[in-house]
């Protein structure tokens, strides 16, 4: 179908042109297509141009921006005097938004916020904060300019700080149901294996002096800092991940919470999700007898690290058992040990890593050489300086364990302590309650605990969880919840692309959106896709952004 122009010559020699809407129909007798007039607009010099413009616009509504742009170019309607107005980052946000939709996170939030009526979409505000964590971590105040001027977020041209804070409050109100629905949606889509659940804790500090915290502060407390900032108040964060490294849930506790005290809540929360048979994998900080009993509730099992210098009789017996190691891998040798009988029976797996043993041996030799030099230097000191230096060495965290003091106050290297340390080189002890797992599966399962450590590193370094500046307890919890959602997207990207998030982010952020304007309107066009960008979108099963994102004719 097309608009055609036909002319007719009058007797007086003048020519009149007519505009018609026509389409070609095949004439089987004539053996060629003939034009059939559908509608006649009348004489060209009398046609209302506004009618044609409205018709063109109504047709353009059913074309993609690229097709409409190509039509205008062919018709010669595009102006050559386009001005380049601005440029925004497109690729990173587009990738996260497409993954967000693929996982169904947008639909989940829309359903949870159905009864809440706001002028702006809460789901879009929450996505913007999650994307900001993953791409360019900043405060909520700084996000206003980031959204308006730096990035293109679909259906969110701007966001005020008070809207972001309100969205955080609303998000926290639906947290339990959100966590449950997100887990089941992600587990179904990615076919997650949830028979092994890895759990660990970390701490995150605040740039606030303890004396500046208000009275009655229940969350920000001083405690054992895993960030080596005992001078600051902090919170304790727990994280559960699958064997694939996907974070399925996060917890927040006061900064003075001890690891041993959180297992009961973690177990109850996960039981509520009806995961079936779950084996919890945890490090040595959670291996109290009470915690192990809790982990076995509701048919659960555990794989935990044991402190080899704990003084437990069963641990001492396990370490003293003779027997050959079974070589699973070059740096993974295992030995299964059963201690006790009946209900008192305990199953251990002793793991030996030859390369780690060699590394620890060399480190100890270097440390002992340095210690010998320190002891030699003591002889040159006068009495008062000698006693101060002696006390310093005795209390030193590395030197002290290899020193013994004679009756006359002289320090000597404790050879028995050195021999004792050699027995543990490259070894770690694992305890499990599951008899159906092979010793190899137990060892490999515990070794994969490194995935949760990687998740914590991503949270703290890449997503810049710390330091936090929020003061209100609910905002702190919402901040951790947003960081968990960002970590979920980041880990899925890393697993699917087999690349670090920093590499994927940097490559995608080079895909830009340009804003061009002319007297006829505005055009939004992306830069050309690189081969690497196309490869990343394909690996994630996502559609890259179209070349033309929008055409807005001027009225």
């Amino acid at each position: 179908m097309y608009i055609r122009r036909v002319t007719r010559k009058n007797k007086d020699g003048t020519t009149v042109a007519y505009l018609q809407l026509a389409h070609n129909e095949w004439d089987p007798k004539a053996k060629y297509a003939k034009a059939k007039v559908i509608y006649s607009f009348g004489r060209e010099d009398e046609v209302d141009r506004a009618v044609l413009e409205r018709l063109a616009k109504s047709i353009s509504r059913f074309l993609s921006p690229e097709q409409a742009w190509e039509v205008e170019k062919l018709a010669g309607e595009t102006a050559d005097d386009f001005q380049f107005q601005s440029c925004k980052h497109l690729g990173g946000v587009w990738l996260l938004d497409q993954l967000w939709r693929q996982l169904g996170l947008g639909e989940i939030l829309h359903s949870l916020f159905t009864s809440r009526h706001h002028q702006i979409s809460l789901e879009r505000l929450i996505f913007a904060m999650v994307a900001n964590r993953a791409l360019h971590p900043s405060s909520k105040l700084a996000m206003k300019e980031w959204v308006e001027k730096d990035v293109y977020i679909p259906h969110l041209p701007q966001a005020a700080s008070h809207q972001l804070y309100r969205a955080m409050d609303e998000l926290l109100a639906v947290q339990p149901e959100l966590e449950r629905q997100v887990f089941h949606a992600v587990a179904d889509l990615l076919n997650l294996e949830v028979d092994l659940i890895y759990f660990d804790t970390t701490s995150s500090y605040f740039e606030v002096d303890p004396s500046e915290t208000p009275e009655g502060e229940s969350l920000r407390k001083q405690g054992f800092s895993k960030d080596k900032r005992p001078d600051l108040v902090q919170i304790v964060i727990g994280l559960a991940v699958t064997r694939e490294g996907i974070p399925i849930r996060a917890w927040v506790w006061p900064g003075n919470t001890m690891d041993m005290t959180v297992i009961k809540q973690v177990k109850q929360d996960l039981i509520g999700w009806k995961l079936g048979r779950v084996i919890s994998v945890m490090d040595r900080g959670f291996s109290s007898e009470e915690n192990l009993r809790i982990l076995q509730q509701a048919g659960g099992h555990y794989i935990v690290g044991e402190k080899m210098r704990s003084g437990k009789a069963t641990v001492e017996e396990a370490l003293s058992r003779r027997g050959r190691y079974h070589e699973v891998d070059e740096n993974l040798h295992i030995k299964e040990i059963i201690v006790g009988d009946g209900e008192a029976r305990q199953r251990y797996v002793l793991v030996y890593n030859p390369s780690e043993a060699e590394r620890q041996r060399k480190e100890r030799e270097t440390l002992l050489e340095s210690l010998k030099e320190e002891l030699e230097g003591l002889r040159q000191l006068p009495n008062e300086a000698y006693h101060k230096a002696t006390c310093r060495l005795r209390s030193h965290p590395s030197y002290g364990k290899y020193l013994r003091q004679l009756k006359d106050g002289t320090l000597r290297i404790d050879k028995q302590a050195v021999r004792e340390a050699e027995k543990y080189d490259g070894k770690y002890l694992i305890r499990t309650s599951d008899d159906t797992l092979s010793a190899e599966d137990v060892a490999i399962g515990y070794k994969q605990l490194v995935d949760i450590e990687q998740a914590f590193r991503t949270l703290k370094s890449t997503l810049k969880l710390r330091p936090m500046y929020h003061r209100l307890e609910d905002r702190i919890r919402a901040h951790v919840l947003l960081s968990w959602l960002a970590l979920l997207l980041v880990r899925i990207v890393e697993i699917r692309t087999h690349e670090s998030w920093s590499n994927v982010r940097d490559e995608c952020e080079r895909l830009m959106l340009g804003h061009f304007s002319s007297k006829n309107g505005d055009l939004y066009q992306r830069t050309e896709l690189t081969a690497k960008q196309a490869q990343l979108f394909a690996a994630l099963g996502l559609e890259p952004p179209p070349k033309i994102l929008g055409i807005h004719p001027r009225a």
Side-chain angles (χ1 to χ4, degrees), residues 247-259:
I248 61 172
R249 187 158 183 169
W251 291 263
V252 179
W253 295 289
N256 58 359
T257 303
M258 301 296 292
D259 284 351

Side-chain angles (χ1 to χ4, degrees), residues 120-133:
I120 191 168
S121 169
L122 290 175
E123 181 269 336
R124 286 290 82 190
L125 291 170
I126 291 168
F127 168 75
M129 290 186 283
V130 171
N132 177 261
R133 260 317 93 196

Side-chain angles (χ1 to χ4, degrees), residues 240-289:
V241 304
T242 66
R243 65 166 70 201
E244 298 90 349
I246 303 294
I248 61 172
R249 187 158 183 169
W251 291 263
V252 179
W253 295 289
N256 58 359
T257 303
M258 301 296 292
D259 284 351
M260 289 288 187
T261 63
V262 303
I263 294 301
K264 187 173 183 180
Q265 180 186 344
V266 172
K267 181 65 177 179
Q268 288 176 343
D269 289 345
L270 293 180
I271 286 176
W273 285 0
K274 300 178 180 179
L275 300 179
R277 177 179 176 272
V278 173
I279 304 171
S280 303
V281 186
M282 303 181 184
D283 71 7
R284 292 171 294 186
F286 304 94
S287 60
S288 70
E289 294 302 318

Side-chain angles (χ1 to χ4, degrees), residues 418-430:
V418 173
R419 287 192 294 270
E420 191 70 20
E422 290 173 349
K423 296 194 304 184
Y424 300 104
D425 284 351
K427 297 176 183 176
Y428 54 93
L429 188 64
I430 307 169

Side-chain angles (χ1 to χ4, degrees), residues 329-376:
D329 199 356
E330 181 180 357
N331 289 317
L332 184 62
H333 301 185
I334 61 174
K335 179 167 61 174
E336 184 174 6
I337 303 165
I338 305 296
V339 176
D341 298 305
E343 293 185 359
R345 178 180 180 274
Q346 293 180 9
R347 185 185 181 205
Y348 293 95
V349 176
L350 184 60
V351 182
Y352 174 64
N353 184 335
S355 64
E356 179 66 14
E358 181 63 17
R359 186 189 66 81
Q360 293 176 355
R361 184 187 65 79
K362 289 181 178 179
E363 282 187 355
R364 186 171 52 254
E365 287 179 353
T366 302
L367 185 141
L368 291 175
E369 287 296 325
S370 176
L371 180 56
K372 288 178 183 177
E373 293 178 4
E374 291 281 351
L375 294 177
E376 288 292 332

Side-chain angles (χ1 to χ4, degrees), residues 60-115:
S60 295
R61 286 189 294 120
F62 299 96
L63 302 177
S64 68
E66 297 97 323
Q67 292 170 328
W69 180 245
E70 290 297 327
V71 169
E72 288 188 13
K73 284 200 298 183
L74 291 173
E77 296 294 331
T78 57
D80 294 329
D81 59 344
F82 268 98
Q83 294 181 344
F84 184 19
Q85 298 290 352
S86 64
C87 190
K88 289 185 175 183
H89 292 283
L90 172 65
V93 168
W94 187 273
L95 181 147
L96 292 174
D97 189 45
Q98 292 294 302
L99 183 58
W100 178 269
R101 296 173 187 276
Q102 186 187 77
L103 298 174
L105 302 185
E107 294 180 6
I108 291 172
L109 287 171
H110 279 306
S111 66
L112 294 176
F113 294 138
T114 300
S115 61

Side-chain angles (χ1 to χ4, degrees), residues 107-108 111-112 176-186:
E107 294 180 6
I108 291 172
S111 66
L112 294 176
E177 185 62 19
L178 171 69
E179 290 174 329
R180 187 187 67 80
Q181 289 196 34
V182 168
F183 167 74
H184 288 293
V186 174

Side-chain angles (χ1 to χ4, degrees), residues 2-4 19-22 36-42 51 55:
Y2 56 93
I3 292 179
R4 73 170 188 166
L19 298 182
Q20 300 171 338
L21 182 64
K36 179 179 181 180
V37 177
I38 300 174
Y39 180 80
S40 178
F41 293 99
V51 173
L55 176 61

